[in-house]
Amino acid sequence: MQQRNSISGASGVRVVIAAAAFATGIFGGQSVLADSVNSPNIQLNVDTNRATGNGAGNVSVTINTITIAEITLPEYSAGAGQVITINPRPGFQFDPSSNITAQSATIGFNGGGINAVATVVPTGAADEVITFALTSGTNANVQDIIRINGVRIRIVDARGAAGPAQTTMQLTTSTAGGAFTNQGIVAANINRGVADHLVFSVQPGSTQSGSALLPAIRLVDFGDNIITNDPRLIALAIQDNPGGAALGGITAVTTANGVATWTAAENLNIVTAAAGYTLRASHSGAALQSADTADSSAFEITAGAPNRIAITTEPVSTAAGEDILIDVTVLDAADNVVSTPPLSLTLDAAVNPGGWPLLTSSSLTKETINGVASWGAADDLRINKAVQGYRLIASGVGDPVLSTQFDITPAAPALLRFVQQPSDTDVNAAIDPAPTVEVVDAFGNLTSAAIIVTLGLDPGSCAAALAGGAGNSIAGVATFAGLIVDAACNDTFLTASSSGLVGAVSDTFDVDAPANANDNSADNANDNADDNGEEPAAAACGLCGAGTALVFMPMLLAMIATKRIMSRRMRR
């Protein structure tokens, strides 16, 4: 198809549009079928000639005669399915109070006779199509000319109010043998209305923390045509504020030729990173026709470059061997979380009064995920020594940071251990010093458990009875004063037990028998002799003769002295 189309011009100036299509026939196997349309230009005012919305005048504009004509004969033909249609373009509406007519000296329309006026009353529906069926006539030897009158049109929404000019209707003749399909006709100059609302012509857009936002806001009429002659001060504020941020920089700018523009010089900015911010624009001066504010599209403030780290989940006092939970977060200069790229952060013990290492089942160095390195239950970060005043240190970005102070407390009671071991003793004499047993956790930390602890003798090394073997622990320690064994034993040992705990075995010790009665009598005799000033030998010998006493005296004295020494040692 070849087409010549001109739609601009002043009101009342008719514009001729011609179209041509090729069909099999003359001109080298092809014949040219062509038709033309002659339609006027019109003037529409955004407000006066608008049917809906605030400030709508609801005044329709009448369109003068639209003339459609064959150029190449024959072209149009009558019969079933042979129709010519017109319809309003998006944003426009046929006035339902109008009567649209079609007439031709050679064609009958919609069942009427040749040269009869065919009338269609529009409904005003959106995208309404007015149809004129060619039911009779057409002359193969005479140019068919169709005239359409009575069309009244108006703006129905913002699409029709958008200037400065556009065609208001569409024509289709191809269904009657012509060459037009949805051809735009009836050009309209769109004249601006009054200030109606604000619109973001440039959205703020996603921006890094602290960087300048560069929006632009227009003052427009109903059809978004810029109002250039009404200066207004346009102010911006945060409307949706997921980060609880403040809007920095210069927040109000006066329109120039209808547009308020923020540049880097105004330094409009938000420093708190978050997604889902919106800005709201408002204006100075008289109220606008439809709305006095406008909201931007949602945008995101992203974090800046990594600047430092912070411990965002502090460790708390924890039982020995239990999980220490800690999160370390990478932040920018404005304390926004820097979620990308992943960075390596490391933990260590900074203050370690127990001297035991910081242990983990994973690693003390981890990469951040969404800006956070987390040591959780799966990492089994732990310290086994129960001591107060531990602190951890994290490093990797900027200066290392210390955690708050925390304690490692004893875990649950798990086993017993002898602290004061039993010492050698005599039969029926209390073991001194008194043995003590501690209740400790699985890592050897003294607990504060108050439980019953029972001592016993090893039955394989001692068949004696043990008295005083039951005691209660106080602050985790059970003391057994008055522990007595009633028979002699060598290299025996004590056992300690308590319900649900792993028991303990003491070091070995001896229980000695006391000296026999005869030895005691001899000792007593010698002691009495000493006390009476007698010679021990004479007292011991009894009726020995003087000669015999002289012969055995040295040997007897030595034996008695040795026995006395041994007896006294045993008593001690």
Side-chain angles (χ1 to χ4, degrees), residues 171-187:
L171 169 69
T172 296
T173 62
S174 58
T175 48
F180 292 120
T181 300
N182 292 329
Q183 173 62 53
I185 61 173
V186 187

Side-chain angles (χ1 to χ4, degrees), residues 518-519 521-530 532-545 548-549 552-561 563-564:
N518 291 335
D519 289 341
S521 297
D523 287 339
N524 291 336
N526 288 325
D527 289 340
N528 291 334
D530 289 337
N532 295 329
E534 299 176 358
E535 287 296 331
C541 188
L543 299 176
C544 294
T548 305
F552 292 103
M553 185 64 68
M555 182 182 298
L556 183 59
L557 289 173
M559 291 175 64
I560 293 171
K563 180 66 175 177
R564 292 179 66 187

Side-chain angles (χ1 to χ4, degrees), residues 9-11 41-50 61 92 155 160-166 187-195 220-227 289:
S11 177
N41 281 3
I42 60 173
Q43 298 287 334
L44 290 173
N45 180 272
V46 167
D47 296 326
T48 303
N49 304 125
R50 176 162 47 89
V61 171
F92 297 97
I155 298 167
Q166 57 178 305
N189 291 324
I190 308 297
N191 300 312
R192 283 193 301 264
V194 301
V220 296
D221 67 6
F222 181 85
D224 287 349
N225 304 298
I226 300 176
I227 305 298
Q289 185 168 253

Side-chain angles (χ1 to χ4, degrees), residues 48-343:
T48 303
N49 304 125
R50 176 162 47 89
T52 60
N54 292 338
N58 200 26
V59 176
S60 300
V61 171
T62 299
I63 299 172
N64 293 330
T65 302
I66 300 167
T67 303
I68 307 164
E70 290 178 321
I71 293 177
T72 303
L73 304 180
E75 186 173 357
Y76 301 146
S77 61
Q82 300 296 101
V83 298
I84 290 174
T85 62
I86 58 172
N87 60 282
R89 297 195 70 185
F92 297 97
Q93 176 191 52
F94 288 140
D95 188 337
S97 66
S98 61
N99 293 317
I100 301 176
T101 65
Q103 185 180 21
S104 173
T106 58
I107 303 172
F109 296 101
N110 296 349
I114 294 172
N115 204 32
V117 176
T119 302
V120 176
V121 178
T123 65
D127 303 320
E128 181 177 13
V129 177
I130 302 299
T131 301
F132 292 103
L134 285 63
T135 54
S136 62
T138 70
N139 191 326
N141 300 312
V142 177
Q143 184 184 39
D144 294 322
I145 298 174
I146 304 167
R147 293 177 175 84
I148 297 177
N149 287 286
V151 177
R152 298 175 63 194
I153 201 162
R154 59 193 177 187
I155 298 167
V156 73
D157 62 35
R159 292 173 296 175
Q166 57 178 305
T167 55
T168 61
M169 295 169 53
Q170 295 180 145
L171 169 69
T172 296
T173 62
S174 58
T175 48
F180 292 120
T181 300
N182 292 329
Q183 173 62 53
I185 61 173
V186 187
N189 291 324
I190 308 297
N191 300 312
R192 283 193 301 264
V194 301
D196 184 82
H197 62 278
L198 302 173
V199 63
F200 277 84
S201 54
V202 177
Q203 295 290 338
S206 294
T207 307
Q208 193 176 84
S209 169
S211 296
L213 298 166
L214 306 174
I217 292 91
R218 290 178 178 175
L219 177 66
V220 296
D221 67 6
F222 181 85
D224 287 349
N225 304 298
I226 300 176
I227 305 298
T228 60
N229 58 352
D230 186 4
R232 302 282 184 120
L233 183 68
I234 308 300
L236 291 176
I238 299 176
Q239 178 62 17
D240 294 310
N241 195 352
L247 186 61
I250 296 174
T251 59
V253 171
T254 300
T255 59
N257 294 320
V259 183
T261 303
W262 275 259
T263 67
E266 284 74 40
N267 192 31
L268 187 73
N269 69 86
I270 296 173
V271 298
T272 304
Y277 285 103
T278 62
L279 297 182
R280 172 163 288 182
S282 59
H283 66 89
S284 63
L288 302 182
Q289 185 168 253
S290 290
D292 290 310
T293 61
D295 291 347
S296 73
S297 299
F299 60 95
E300 181 178 3
I301 298 298
T302 59
N307 178 263
R308 68 183 187 92
I309 57 176
I311 297 175
T312 47
T313 299
E314 293 280 1
V316 297
S317 294
T318 306
E322 294 297 315
D323 298 326
I324 299 171
L325 308 179
I326 184 171
D327 293 333
V328 184
T329 302
V330 180
L331 304 175
D332 66 7
D335 288 347
N336 298 303
V337 177
V338 181
S339 57
T340 58
L343 299 171

